Amino acid sequence: QVQLVESGGGFVQPGGSLRLSCEVSGSGFTVYAMGWYRQAPGKQRELVADSTHSGALNYADSVKGRFTISSHKYNKTVYLQMNSLKPEDTAVYYCNAIVEDSGYRELWGQGTLVTVSS
């Protein structure tokens, strides 16, 4: 069974840093693309950053210059380094992956809470 396993959320003060990790577990598939989304209370889920099949990196304007995504499709992991965190970054962060086995499938992690507060 293919699933995403996330780690790294937590509580941090404004200006602090956190690193999220996500691994695609299972076998018999290849990873096509990976990324991170977030959902704050009362808001829709939004893209934070992703790494496409071609290797292009995309970031939400609100995190550019502060967050860095890195992915390693061969070992099926993706990381999100978050620096200079702000209270408005508080949200549940979800790992996302597009995998290919008999076709393309979109997978979601269980979510990890990031709280930025003084």
Side-chain angles (χ1 to χ4, degrees), residues 10-78:
F11 179 91
V12 65
Q13 292 186 335
S17 298
L18 284 174
R19 186 177 190 238
L20 306 183
S21 302
C22 174
E23 179 181 2
V24 188
S25 66
S27 61
F29 64 93
T30 57
V31 175
Y32 188 78
M34 298 189 77
W36 291 93
Y37 288 71
R38 68 185 180 187
Q39 187 166 17
K43 295 188 177 181
Q44 290 187 331
R45 190 174 297 188
E46 62 176 1
L47 174 70
V48 177
D50 67 5
S51 174
T52 69
H53 179 66
S54 65
L57 304 179
N58 301 304
Y59 294 92
D61 288 342
S62 59
V63 307
K64 284 180 180 176
R66 300 187 298 122
F67 291 11
T68 302
I69 187 172
S70 57
S71 69
H72 304 278
K73 297 184 180 65
Y74 291 108
N75 62 5
K76 303 169 185 175
T77 58
V78 64

